[in-house]
Amino acid sequence: MAEHVAEHAAYPVGLRLSGRRVVVLGAGQVAQRRLPSLIAAGADIVLISPSATPSVEAMADTGEIRWERRRYQDGDLDGAWYALISTDDPEANTAASREAEARRVWCVRSDDAEAATAWTPATGRSEGVTVAVLTGQDPRRSAAVRDAIVEGLRDGSLAAPHHRRPHTPGVALVGGGPGDPDLITVRGRRLLAEADVVIADRLGPRDLLAELPPHVEVIDAAKIPYGRFMAQEAINNALIEHAKAGKAVVRLKGGDPFVFGRGMEEAQALAEAGIPCTVVPGISSTISVPGAAGIPVTHRGVAHEFTVVSGHVAPDDERSLVDWPALAKLRGTLVVLMGVENSGAIAAALVAHGRPAGTPAAVIQEGTTATQRRVDATLATLGETVRAEGVRPPAVIVIGDVVTVGPAATAK
């Protein structure tokens, strides 16, 4: 019988286990990996094992599973629809497998796939689609195929021939990350793949735009005709106009929409116009760009805090909302965005209010992209160094002792 079964491919099927008894024997690493999916399926799970990993024990403590602290006994599979056998006792596994066969309970065995009547596929989910992959007894290949399919579905690179699902017209404010197209979130990339219109910032990940289907209208926010409107007001109007035309609109922004990205202004304008708005956070350049340049914004024994400020107006400008004297008294890391033009004035203000002139500083231009470069200085030399090196925006300025602890600094 076993030889006959082994000659045939496994028959794929989706088990609906909600409210149905599932018995899990053993509470080690295998059970720890499989239990969350069984819990998500709504199964009535009985775990039988004298001990458990801390994670499995926590599932029992929260009432997600019932745990009987003992070894397997004949009759434990009575009334079960499905069994997972993963104890470290081969004899118990064989006995339980024999009981499962007698009771016609589908049974997975972690120690002997040939003796099992069911195999667990490598599974993944993306937007309501469950992907399950079986490649015989090669779990690594199953996982690799699963990952490739799920990733393709998530980022839109795998186009399945189906009627596009109806969508509610609206706007997604998507944070595109610091510049490297691989650093956009999975959700952000998926929404881009589903968009009818993309209104993109200059500092957004431009390489992603080349991946869009030809029917997608791409609008450069910097080139929207402003007329009598302010630039931001014109962008708001464009978002509303396209959404009201029944389009799925993505507003692609650099970094995170709510970190100096005017994302809330756009969200408020959409709300006033009755337009549905989805906010997709992005990886902010405040931590990703220093990290890409080998600078941790915090480090044990060096900096227990980091502060992010905008440098688009100088410290002595009446429009500035930054308390520069207070910042100068902090001992942690200071991250300045949009501060290239005012770098000298910012450094001078910090020194004037008590920050040591020898405090290390670094400027990272076009961080995370192929043209990234890092320039090091101190507060005393920051302004002159920026000018001499021809640093231009976009660039992130990092001020503090963390500048000297990274591998890039050590290598110098």
Side-chain angles (χ1 to χ4, degrees):
M1 178 66 177
E3 292 181 0
H4 176 70
V5 172
E7 292 174 359
H8 296 85
Y11 180 76
V13 66
L15 298 181
R16 301 179 66 188
L17 296 174
S18 178
R20 296 184 167 94
R21 179 181 172 89
V22 170
V23 177
V24 177
L25 305 180
Q29 295 298 321
V30 173
Q32 182 174 321
R33 292 197 306 270
R34 302 302 181 201
L35 279 169
S37 295
L38 292 171
I39 292 170
D44 178 16
I45 304 169
V46 178
L47 172 68
I48 299 174
S49 177
S51 60
T53 67
S55 294
V56 173
E57 187 171 349
M59 297 177 200
D61 290 342
T62 57
E64 295 174 299
I65 63 176
R66 287 181 289 137
W67 179 19
E68 298 185 10
R69 293 167 172 79
R70 59 176 177 80
R71 296 186 178 278
Y72 162 75
Q73 299 171 0
D74 186 43
D76 280 340
L77 302 189
D78 184 25
W81 291 69
Y82 180 77
L84 170 61
I85 301 175
S86 62
T87 80
D88 57 5
D89 182 348
E91 293 184 3
N93 291 347
T94 300
S97 184
R98 189 181 303 116
E99 181 186 352
E101 183 77 23
R103 295 182 181 275
R104 297 187 179 182
V105 177
W106 295 110
C107 164
V108 173
R109 281 187 62 171
S110 63
D111 63 332
D112 188 350
E114 280 300 322
T117 54
W119 292 337
T120 302
T123 59
R125 288 183 62 82
S126 176
E127 286 301 295
V129 176
T130 298
V131 176
V133 179
L134 283 172
T135 55
Q137 298 183 53
D138 188 351
R140 291 187 178 181
R141 187 184 180 204
S142 296
V145 174
R146 181 265 326 267
D147 291 345
I149 295 173
V150 171
E151 177 65 19
L153 291 173
R154 285 177 173 170
D155 65 21
S157 60
L158 179 60
H162 65 284
H163 293 291
R164 182 175 174 178
R165 66 185 183 187
H167 65 267
T168 302
V171 176
L173 305 181
V174 175
D180 184 338
D182 286 342
L183 294 180
I184 189 173
T185 63
V186 170
R187 189 179 188 193
R189 186 181 282 266
R190 175 178 56 77
L191 287 172
L192 271 178
E194 297 175 357
D196 299 310
V197 178
V198 176
I199 300 179
D201 271 349
R202 177 178 65 87
L203 299 181
R206 294 170 294 178
D207 291 352
L208 291 173
L209 302 179
E211 301 177 4
L212 297 174
H215 73 275
V216 178
E217 181 180 1
V218 178
I219 300 172
D220 184 347
K223 295 182 180 179
I224 292 178
Y226 297 140
R228 62 186 178 85
F229 299 113
M230 295 185 300
Q232 187 59 56
E233 186 177 355
I235 292 172
N236 295 349
N237 290 340
L239 293 171
I240 294 169
E241 176 186 348
H242 287 287
K244 284 188 172 181
K247 305 293 182 65
V249 184
V250 166
R251 174 73 168 105
L252 182 62
K253 308 171 79 67
D256 181 273
F258 288 172
V259 180
F260 303 134
R262 293 191 171 183
M264 183 52 69
E265 296 179 40
E266 294 169 357
Q268 289 171 335
L270 292 167
E272 291 173 1
I275 303 296
C277 176
T278 299
V279 177
V280 181
I283 298 176
S284 174
S285 62
T286 59
I287 54 175
S288 58
V289 167
I295 301 173
V297 292
T298 64
H299 188 69
R300 185 172 61 174
V302 177
H304 291 175
E305 66 191 30
F306 71 97
T307 305
V308 181
V309 298
S310 170
H312 74 289
V313 294
D316 60 354
D317 192 308
E318 62 181 12
R319 296 170 298 165
S320 177
L321 302 177
V322 179
D323 189 342
W324 292 102
L327 287 181
K329 294 178 174 61
L330 297 177
R331 299 175 60 187
T333 306
L334 182 62
V335 179
V336 183
L337 303 187
M338 301 178 288
V340 169
E341 182 178 350
N342 295 313
S343 57
I346 289 171
L350 292 172
V351 171
H353 292 291
R355 194 80 183 237
T359 301
V363 186
I364 305 99
Q365 177 182 310
E366 298 175 358
T368 78
T369 71
T371 54
Q372 171 181 305
R373 68 164 176 150
R374 168 180 170 174
V375 176
D376 284 59
T378 64
L379 279 182
T381 63
L382 180 60
E384 179 56 36
T385 300
V386 166
R387 287 190 293 272
E389 295 289 338
V391 177
R392 63 180 186 276
V396 175
I397 301 173
V398 185
I399 299 169
D401 291 338
V402 292
V403 169
T404 63
V405 303
T410 305
K412 293 183 178 182

